[in-house]
């Protein structure tokens, strides 16, 4: 028997772009250009008014999707550079590639990881899924396989769609193959049974992503691809940041006590080893104390995640690591401590009264938006065209529908175009448009 196939860094770091090749004379690396394109995009800018955890919050200390994404990208860059150093020591980096380039790839993927999230955070994702599940008429209209893209709607797949197809006004951002690979947290279609409603590839991007995956040499598992090794780092950066920051934000909002971060982590971090030092920490303003704890946790968690990557390197490279595995979940060190602390407060965090009230409102808002924008979409179907309410056509722009190819996926693409519009909204715009739909504001 031959040895198991193994991914090759000469392919995995491919700087070919998904569409056109931009100018070559640039001091920036191709991956740094990806970073810059994402940061300057309108889709990334809108993250400033999208929920991280707490919807429509007026407290300026609370994270939005934008601040979260910037912080994840910072941690991701460090993770990438550290792993790049490991590859360099092993002699596995291709000629002309440095650890800095690895950091840039992971940084770009981290910047884009939430760019497809709908308004109101994960409650927005749930509302979109529930709306489609409650519309049995759409199963006959689209067919059960295509419908799963919407009944399992995932911001991860919308992020890939934004990068490849809809960013920069329906052209995509033309990213490098390597960045697309690192962004594929769940490299499979919605029809794959992953044990949860998670996937990174809509049918609209399936052909393009499959081409990228093969060019990168991602191992084909039949109904899915093995993850790009750098996708594990992108995921780890997100896991580290959201768990620490969500807890910190909860202390800011009074969901957790102001002493929570110190009481939870002083022991593991050795902050209470000396009574005098412990007393100095207790006397600090809680925001300053939280900042010190956050910085220390992130630094140690970064080292822990890199160590886990190295320990599982062979399984990462031959694609044998379980598709649901994450570096944080495999930790027995500080990442595990963070993971367990977060798990212990999830109910308080996600079922706080204010959050529950706002998320019920957010669910109703998205139901209303989809009710109004999807009206008549499956009525009076006359192939290859379907009826679109004239008011919806005016709202979204007639050119949006005129540009949809008249092929076998026409009806699916039409529904996807409306979902693009709704999921691209900020919390504030979605709320304002709902008020106008209800006749409460103009």
């Amino acid at each position: 028997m031959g040895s198991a196939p193994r991914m090759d860094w000469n392919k995995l770091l491919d700087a070919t772009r998904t569409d056109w090749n931009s100018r070559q004379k640039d001091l920036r690396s191709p991956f740094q250009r990806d970073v810059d394109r994402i940061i300057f995009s309108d889709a990334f800018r809108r993250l400033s008014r999208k929920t991280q955890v707490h919807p429509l919050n007026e407290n300026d200390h609370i994270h939005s999707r934008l601040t979260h994404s910037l912080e994840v990208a910072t941690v991701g860059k460090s993770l990438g550079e550290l792993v790049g150093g490991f590859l360099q020591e092993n002699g596995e980096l291709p000629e002309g590639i440095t650890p800095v380039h690895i950091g840039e790839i992971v940084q770009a993927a981290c910047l884009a990881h939430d760019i497809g999230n709908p308004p109101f955070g994960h409650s927005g994702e749930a509302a979109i899924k529930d709306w489609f599940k409650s519309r049995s008429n759409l199963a006959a209209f689209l067919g059960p396989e295509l419908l799963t893209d919407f009944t399992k709607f995932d911001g991860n797949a919308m992020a890939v769609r934004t990068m490849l197809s809809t960013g920069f006004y329906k052209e995509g951002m033309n990213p490098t193959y390597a960045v697309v690979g690192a962004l594929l947290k769940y490299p499979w279609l919605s029809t794959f049974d992953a044990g949860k409603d998670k996937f990174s590839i809509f049918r609209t991007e399936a052909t393009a992503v499959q081409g990228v995956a093969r060019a990168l040499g991602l191992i084909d598992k039949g109904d899915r691809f093995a993850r790009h090794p750098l996708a594990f780092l992108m995921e780890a950066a997100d896991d580290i940041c959201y768990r620490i920051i969500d807890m910190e934000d909860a202390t800011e909002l009074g969901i957790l006590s102001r002493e929570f971060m110190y009481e939870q982590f002083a022991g593991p971090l050795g902050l209470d080893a000396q009574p005098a030092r412990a007393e100095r920490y207790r006397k600090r303003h809680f925001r300053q104390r939280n900042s010190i704890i956050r910085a220390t946790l992130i630094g140690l968690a970064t080292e822990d995640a890199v160590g886990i990557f190295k320990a599982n390197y062979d399984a990462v490279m031959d694609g044998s690591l379980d598709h649901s595995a994450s570096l944080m979940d495999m930790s027995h060190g500080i990442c595990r401590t963070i993971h367990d602390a977060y798990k212990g407060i999830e109910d308080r965090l996600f079922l706080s009264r204010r959050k529950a009230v706002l998320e019920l409102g957010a669910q109703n808002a998205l139901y209303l938006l989809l009710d109004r924008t999807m009206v008549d979409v499956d009525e009076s179907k006359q192939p290859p065209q379907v009826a679109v309410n004239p008011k919806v056509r005016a709202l979204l722009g007639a050119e949006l529908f005129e540009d949809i190819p008249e092929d076998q996926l026409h009806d699916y693409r039409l529904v996807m175009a409306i979902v693009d519009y709704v999921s691209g909204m900020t919390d504030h715009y979605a709320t304002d448009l709902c008020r106008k739909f209800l006749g409460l504001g103009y």
Side-chain angles (χ1 to χ4, degrees):
M1 295 178 61
S3 60
R6 188 179 176 89
M7 289 180 273
D8 179 357
W9 288 105
N10 287 288
K11 292 183 176 181
L12 290 168
L13 304 178
D14 192 342
T16 302
R17 295 196 176 276
T18 54
D19 196 348
W20 70 95
N21 284 317
S22 50
R23 68 180 188 274
Q24 299 300 312
K25 292 184 179 180
D26 196 321
L27 291 175
R28 298 171 299 167
S29 74
F31 314 120
Q32 181 61 51
R33 297 213 298 274
D34 285 334
V35 168
D36 295 347
R37 288 179 185 190
I38 296 165
I39 288 175
F40 280 92
S41 70
D42 55 353
F44 187 74
R45 194 180 316 129
R46 288 197 300 272
L47 295 179
S48 66
R49 288 197 160 199
K50 288 195 177 189
T51 295
Q52 169 59 17
V53 171
H54 307 285
L56 300 170
N57 207 287
E58 297 301 321
N59 186 325
D60 291 337
H61 293 278
I62 301 304
H63 286 76
S64 67
R65 285 283 168 188
L66 181 68
T67 49
H68 166 70
S69 296
L70 290 168
E71 291 173 355
V72 172
T74 299
V75 175
K77 188 173 189 296
S78 296
L79 287 167
E81 290 181 356
L82 288 167
V83 166
F86 165 71
L87 297 175
Q88 190 173 55
E89 290 173 5
N90 288 351
E92 293 190 63
L93 282 186
E95 185 177 355
I97 297 292
T98 71
V100 171
H101 293 128
I102 308 299
E104 290 169 349
I105 294 169
V106 181
Q107 180 186 18
C110 289
L111 286 168
H113 86 285
D114 273 350
I115 208 167
N117 277 38
F120 310 118
H122 292 301
S123 63
E125 277 184 327
I128 292 172
K129 289 189 283 191
D130 290 345
W131 189 91
F132 278 97
K133 288 174 183 176
S134 69
R135 299 309 190 270
S136 57
N137 55 321
L138 287 173
F141 175 62
L142 293 175
E145 286 198 358
L146 293 179
L147 185 61
T148 58
D149 274 8
F150 306 108
T151 58
K152 290 185 175 182
F153 177 86
D154 190 343
N156 290 286
M158 189 57 77
V160 174
R161 177 166 168 75
T162 302
M163 292 293 289
L164 297 185
S165 303
T166 62
F168 290 159
Y169 195 69
K170 298 186 294 184
E171 289 190 358
M173 299 189 197
N174 193 26
T176 57
Y177 286 4
V179 167
V180 175
L183 182 59
L184 292 173
K185 186 175 179 181
Y186 307 109
W188 50 77
L189 295 168
S190 61
T191 48
F192 174 68
D193 183 7
K196 54 184 178 180
D197 291 351
K198 289 296 181 183
F199 66 101
S200 288
I201 310 169
F202 284 132
R203 294 306 172 100
T204 41
E205 284 67 53
T207 300
V209 172
Q210 286 165 3
V212 170
R214 292 191 176 102
L216 291 169
L218 303 188
I219 296 169
D220 192 337
K221 297 285 189 176
D223 50 4
R224 64 181 178 89
F225 286 96
R227 271 185 177 180
H228 190 294
L230 299 184
F232 286 97
L233 303 185
M234 181 271 290
E235 179 184 45
D238 184 31
D239 287 348
I240 290 167
C241 286
Y242 85 74
R243 286 184 167 100
I244 296 171
I245 296 306
D246 287 0
M247 289 186 284
E248 186 177 356
D249 281 354
T251 66
E252 179 69 40
L253 291 171
I255 297 169
L256 301 174
S257 74
R258 291 184 171 186
E259 290 72 37
F260 174 84
M261 296 289 284
Y262 181 81
E263 291 172 353
Q264 193 72 38
F265 298 109
L269 297 181
L271 301 182
D272 58 357
Q274 299 176 358
R277 186 185 183 199
E279 186 62 24
R280 286 199 301 272
Y281 275 112
R282 290 195 189 94
K283 288 182 177 179
R284 291 179 187 269
H285 189 280
F286 82 99
R287 288 186 187 133
Q288 184 184 30
R289 186 170 62 236
N290 284 352
S291 295
I292 294 168
I293 293 169
R294 179 211 320 130
T296 307
L297 285 173
I298 289 175
L300 293 173
T302 299
E303 294 175 4
D304 189 19
V306 171
I308 298 164
F309 183 92
K310 292 178 181 178
N312 292 275
Y313 182 63
D314 287 337
V316 168
M317 294 302 290
D318 66 21
S320 63
L321 197 62
D322 188 278
H323 69 266
S324 62
S326 72
L327 300 183
M328 179 166 268
D329 286 344
M330 291 187 282
S331 172
H332 298 288
I334 194 66
C335 284
R336 171 56 56 181
T337 301
I338 296 166
H339 174 283
D340 291 349
Y342 188 82
K343 194 170 184 62
I345 56 93
E346 277 184 308
D347 285 350
R348 280 185 281 171
L349 185 62
F350 289 101
L351 296 177
S352 64
R353 187 178 186 282
R354 179 185 183 278
K355 182 173 171 59
V357 169
L358 287 172
E359 288 191 347
L360 287 170
Q363 182 182 55
N364 288 334
L366 280 168
Y367 281 4
L368 176 64
L369 290 168
L370 288 166
D371 282 342
R372 295 296 186 268
T373 54
M374 290 286 184
V375 66
D376 298 338
V377 79
D378 63 330
E379 300 295 330
S380 306
K381 179 180 174 184
Q382 296 295 328
Q385 198 66 40
V386 297
V388 176
N389 187 286
K391 292 185 176 68
V392 175
R393 184 180 289 268
L395 177 66
L396 275 67
E399 71 280 359
L400 180 69
F401 302 102
E402 292 165 358
D403 290 344
I404 297 174
E406 295 183 359
D407 58 14
Q408 290 183 334
L409 289 179
H410 177 275
D411 300 347
Y412 165 82
R413 293 181 199 277
L414 186 148
V415 173
M416 182 62 79
I418 297 174
V419 171
D420 285 339
Y421 174 69
V422 173
S423 69
M425 294 178 183
T426 64
D427 298 6
H428 296 73
Y429 181 75
T431 302
D432 181 62
L433 191 58
C434 279
R435 289 175 57 82
K436 290 175 179 176
F437 281 169
L438 292 169
L440 299 176
Y442 302 96

